[in-house]
Amino acid sequence: MNDPVAAKLTESLAAAGFLCLGGFEPGPSDQVPALANGQSVNSLYLIGSTGPSLWPFLCRSPEYSDDEPDPLDRYTRRVLRNLATDLGYEVLFPFDGPPYHPFQRWALKCGGFSQSPLGVLAHTNYGPWAGFRAVFLSSGRTFDGTGTHSSGPCETCHDKPCISICPVDAITSSIGYDVPKCRDHLRMENHTKCWSGCLARRACPYGTDHQQDTETAYLHMKSFVDL
């Protein structure tokens, strides 16, 4: 993104471990709710994090050490809600609901993403390591168009190593991602390498510099398996 508003937003987000993954001008079909004052949203920014970028900030947060559940979501809510207020945005989170907002559809509208066999979206620069944390909304118009509409990496990835490496064949080209099979494997094999990070995600040739470290991966795996 090349507009000055996004540049200022990106700088502020980076100071808390987040980044701006793109944005667009929503239309009626995008299911973006109106602002609290009833005005229409004319600019949507997708806020996320990648790999190890957020981990140092989370580890220093009170949410990480208070032994309460969902430290990542609570840190995200506190920090991004305050930042949105300071910068004059309203904010929505993917973990608020039901009903839940169509974050994956919004990401595809931003451009650079494609649907991967893993169930997550993969980004041209960040691979499958971009986590969606919030969207910032504004009535101001800051985009020349409604989105870049550029496709992500999966459409041109012919080898698809993410499929062949899964030790229990929980990912196939015909069915996609078999979540119950993956969870069963993790529950039965507490010392499996998958607890250090999904092998299929790590096999993706895109965004290798943004992979999660083992500590971050373990936190996400615990949440995924619900231990």
Side-chain angles (χ1 to χ4, degrees):
M1 300 181 64
N2 297 317
D3 65 89
V5 175
K8 179 180 179 181
L9 177 59
T10 298
E11 182 180 354
S12 300
L13 290 167
F18 298 96
L19 75 160
C20 183
L21 293 169
F24 63 94
E25 181 181 329
S29 64
D30 294 313
Q31 296 182 291
V32 179
L35 299 173
N37 61 9
Q39 288 185 306
S40 297
V41 173
N42 292 311
S43 295
L44 179 151
Y45 290 99
L46 179 63
I47 311 303
S49 62
T50 64
S53 63
L54 188 57
W55 183 252
F57 296 90
L58 178 63
C59 286
R60 295 193 296 267
S61 72
E63 290 84 0
Y64 185 74
S65 57
D66 64 10
D67 293 324
E68 295 295 324
D70 303 319
L72 176 57
D73 288 352
R74 290 186 294 115
Y75 171 79
T76 297
R77 188 190 302 278
R78 175 176 62 84
V79 171
L80 293 185
R81 188 174 276 168
N82 290 340
L83 184 58
T85 299
D86 291 344
L87 296 177
Y89 297 103
E90 290 189 16
V91 61
L92 298 175
F93 299 101
F95 42 78
D96 282 346
Y100 296 99
H101 300 290
F103 268 72
Q104 286 205 344
R105 178 142 46 97
W106 292 342
L108 291 170
K109 188 76 174 283
C110 288
F113 286 97
S114 59
Q115 186 68 57
S116 77
L118 308 175
V120 300
L121 298 186
H123 189 268
T124 302
N125 297 325
Y126 305 119
W129 303 104
F132 306 146
R133 305 302 174 198
V135 290
F136 282 6
L137 309 174
S138 171
S139 60
R141 296 182 183 275
T142 55
F143 300 101
D144 294 332
T146 59
T148 65
H149 300 289
S150 60
S151 60
C154 298
E155 296 178 14
T156 57
C157 181
H158 302 294
D159 294 335
K160 291 186 169 42
C162 60
I163 294 177
S164 59
I165 200 171
C166 179
V168 291
D169 297 323
I171 302 162
T172 62
S173 56
S174 58
I175 299 176
Y177 180 33
D178 189 332
V179 175
K181 182 181 285 189
C182 178
R183 278 203 177 104
D184 289 344
H185 173 65
L186 289 165
R187 287 180 176 130
M188 293 174 59
E189 302 290 341
N190 290 332
H191 300 291
T192 178
K193 290 182 179 179
C194 301
W195 276 97
S196 298
C198 174
L199 301 182
R201 289 181 79 178
R202 291 189 183 279
C204 178
Y206 295 91
T208 56
D209 291 341
H210 301 280
Q211 290 185 1
Q212 294 171 346
D213 56 38
T214 56
E215 288 181 292
T216 308
Y218 183 76
L219 178 71
H220 284 281
M221 285 300 187
K222 279 186 65 178
S223 177
F224 171 65
V225 178
D226 193 25
L227 291 181

